[in-house]
Amino acid sequence: MRILGINALFHDPAAALVIDGRTVAAAEEERFSRRKHGKRPLPFSAWELPEKAAAWCLKRAGLRPQDLDAVTYSFDPALARPAEDMGLDDPWDHLRLTYAREAPGFLRTALPGLDPGIVRFVPHHMAHAASGAFAAPDAGDSSVLVLDGRGERASHLAARRVGDRLEALHAQGLPHSLGLVYEELTEHLGFLRSSDEFKVMALASHGTPRMITELRRHVYPTGDGGFHATGVPWHELCAPRGADEPWTQDHADVAASAQAVLEETLLDLVRWLHGRTHDQVLTLAGGVALNCVANSRVAREGPFSRVWVQPAAGDAGTALGGALLLSAGEGDEPEPMTGADLGRDWSDAELGAWLKTAAVPFERPPDIAATVARALADNAIVAWFQGRSEYGPRALGHRSLLAHPGHAGNLERLNDVKGREQFRPVAPMVLADRGAEIFDGPLPSPYMLFVHDVAQQWRDRIPAVVHVDGTARIQTVDPGREPLVARMLGEFERLTGLPVVVNTSLNTAGRPMVDDPRDALECFGSAPVDLLVIGPYAVRRGDLFRTEDAGGLR
């Protein structure tokens, strides 16, 4: 079957195409529209669809809308209840339900030729669960846990994959929501709600959980597979922070306390689930599963032998999950993900044409990996644009900013380049077979969804990637999957003795990750990056601003 998955209602609109159980393409609308998260998660924007992402997915496969067998929409309005009945203060939520019911007609307009009768509503958390259970490699019969802000009437689902079926075991009804509690704190700390929760996680490492006793009165597991999470009096715990104000120790301490109760509650849920299933493998999805600190504690202290997290764990991933769920239900065995590189790419000739059109000076070195390694060894910052773009929020060696990890000042330097807060860390990438000697945590870790303790003898050698608490959110690189990145890492180690390179996303603050060549050139032109590597071509900052050299291949 040819199934197009759509996520649209809340945030991170995305599309994914699954053909005969295989994921062919997946992309977020923000990469096309250049609006961070695609849109704000307001009832008034619920009608907006991932039109560009959906059209690209079809184009990738050479399909027309009328060629599709089904379209999934990852929210089922028939399951929803009025917001006030669920204890939510959202007087315009009824607009969401109206827009969801009308989604088949909206999709017909967005994709001319589509039969609205083939649109299937998929429960939001079942779509999340399928994105984990069916996409995980070597999962088989396994447990799956979903946690986010909200779905139709719940904020959590515990389920089990048995063959090609998903069995729901327990759901936590609203208003209790670990995701919404974390969103409230994000807003209280002066960050953008439903966008900047990762900043709270980073800030937590600078604090101590001295407010945990008070928070446990409001956020705690109930022992039956569910939890209580609502009514936290944030104003009593610390003063709110204005968006342009500096953070204080109180802000860091409340973040640390919230992080701690989140982890405690997650561990209880995981233990309850294992007690029901006795599986070896746990898959995680939902926005809360992007909390890599909590994931690591679940992997370290939980009862499961292996934990796998969907790299597009937020709502974008439900586009893929909805399509995989229906595909499995129709008899197509779902194939696991082999990587997150599911987005757009360009041929070498197309990239060269982009550079010529932009009239920038560029060269084609004999070995682009060696060229980058030498630049990094000389302490250059490199914009790295290679292959298909990533699905999900992590830069995984396709749309990345790279730097030397051995200079402590490169953390501040990169945060300045990106225009973001200095308390935020940057991540290391390392060859998979070298990870264990430097980092202690779940391995392999190809999607940057866990944190690892950095071995004491390495902390002074790679200070740029060591967070204030001695950890790092690593990406392990498999040479079989990422041969070009692996070659670059090997050459960098030959030059410097360090098998690690700094990897952070290729974007600046408040903007989506770079996706197409125009985005890369615009980012390179506006940020103090030394070298842009785009396919086999290199653009040097010094050459770019020597106008007499501009205009073509050297």
Side-chain angles (χ1 to χ4, degrees), residues 28 34 80 102 111 121 244 260 309 381 387 460 521 544:
E28 297 170 68
R34 310 310 298 160
E102 298 298 329
L111 299 171
F121 293 113
D244 297 323
V309 186
I381 292 179
D460 289 338
L521 287 163
L544 181 63

Side-chain angles (χ1 to χ4, degrees), residues 43 77 85 87 117 143 195 201 211 226 229-230 261 434-435 473 482:
D85 292 354
S143 300
S195 175
M201 182 183 68
M211 305 172 190
T230 189
V261 295
R434 301 297 304 280
R473 186 188 70 197
E482 300 287 352

Side-chain angles (χ1 to χ4, degrees), residues 279-329:
D279 290 324
Q280 295 300 305
V281 177
L282 171 69
T283 63
L284 296 174
V288 174
L290 292 173
N291 191 304
C292 54
V293 177
N295 294 344
S296 296
R297 191 166 176 192
V298 166
R300 183 175 63 251
E301 300 179 32
F304 289 91
S305 300
R306 182 163 71 93
V307 178
W308 187 86
V309 186
Q310 164 58 240
D315 275 6
T318 65
L320 175 59
L324 288 173
L325 183 66
L326 181 59
S327 181

Side-chain angles (χ1 to χ4, degrees), residues 97-156:
L97 302 187
T98 297
Y99 292 142
R101 294 187 191 102
E102 298 298 329
F106 292 163
L107 284 163
R108 176 175 58 184
T109 301
L111 299 171
L114 179 73
D115 176 6
I118 68 171
V119 177
R120 315 274 187 91
F121 293 113
V122 175
H124 185 73
H125 288 113
M126 288 296 282
H128 267 308
S131 79
F134 292 141
D138 304 316
D141 292 354
S142 53
S143 300
V144 57
L145 188 67
V146 173
L147 289 150
D148 65 1
R150 61 165 292 194
E152 293 88 355
R153 60 172 68 184
S155 69
H156 149 273

Side-chain angles (χ1 to χ4, degrees), residues 471-493:
T471 66
R473 186 188 70 197
I474 78 169
Q475 177 196 357
T476 54
V477 175
D478 177 357
R481 279 284 306 148
E482 300 287 352
L484 185 64
V485 178
R487 282 210 337 266
M488 179 271 294
L489 285 168
E491 182 65 15
F492 181 76
E493 181 176 15

Side-chain angles (χ1 to χ4, degrees), residues 45 79 88 175:
S45 68
L79 300 177
L88 299 177

Side-chain angles (χ1 to χ4, degrees), residues 137-138 337-341 384 396-398 428-435 443-448 474-490 499 503:
D138 304 316
M337 291 175 64
T338 57
D341 50 334
W384 174 273
L396 301 168
H398 293 255
M429 56 166 52
V430 61
L431 286 172
D433 62 358
R434 301 297 304 280
L443 293 170
S445 183
Y447 299 128
M448 283 189 185
I474 78 169
Q475 177 196 357
T476 54
V477 175
D478 177 357
R481 279 284 306 148
E482 300 287 352
L484 185 64
V485 178
R487 282 210 337 266
M488 179 271 294
L489 285 168
N503 173 28

Side-chain angles (χ1 to χ4, degrees), residues 283-468:
T283 63
L284 296 174
V288 174
L290 292 173
N291 191 304
C292 54
V293 177
N295 294 344
S296 296
R297 191 166 176 192
V298 166
R300 183 175 63 251
E301 300 179 32
F304 289 91
S305 300
R306 182 163 71 93
V307 178
W308 187 86
V309 186
Q310 164 58 240
D315 275 6
T318 65
L320 175 59
L324 288 173
L325 183 66
L326 181 59
S327 181
E330 294 294 331
D332 291 335
E333 183 177 353
E335 295 184 17
M337 291 175 64
T338 57
D341 50 334
L342 296 168
R344 291 188 287 178
D345 64 348
W346 287 263
S347 69
D348 291 352
E350 289 171 326
L351 293 173
W354 272 91
L355 294 172
K356 290 177 181 177
T357 299
V360 297
F362 63 96
E363 59 187 280
R364 185 169 186 163
D367 185 347
I368 197 68
T371 296
V372 170
R374 286 193 296 272
L376 292 171
D378 291 337
N379 206 25
I381 292 179
V382 177
W384 174 273
F385 183 110
Q386 300 291 341
R388 298 182 69 175
S389 59
E390 297 93 341
Y391 182 48
R394 304 286 191 246
L396 301 168
H398 293 255
R399 305 291 187 270
S400 293
L401 278 172
L402 308 178
H404 195 307
H407 304 293
N410 277 344
L411 171 59
E412 181 177 354
R413 186 179 170 203
L414 281 167
N415 281 333
D416 284 342
V417 166
K418 291 168 68 73
R420 64 183 203 173
E421 300 86 354
Q422 288 297 341
F423 65 79
R424 291 172 57 186
V426 292
M429 56 166 52
V430 61
L431 286 172
D433 62 358
R434 301 297 304 280
E437 69 183 86
I438 307 170
F439 305 104
D440 180 21
L443 293 170
S445 183
Y447 299 128
M448 283 189 185
L449 287 165
F450 299 93
V451 296
H452 296 66
D453 290 323
V454 183
Q456 194 67 48
Q457 65 269 26
W458 279 93
R459 293 184 184 183
D460 289 338
R461 298 186 66 187
I462 52 172
V465 296
V466 182
H467 197 30
V468 66

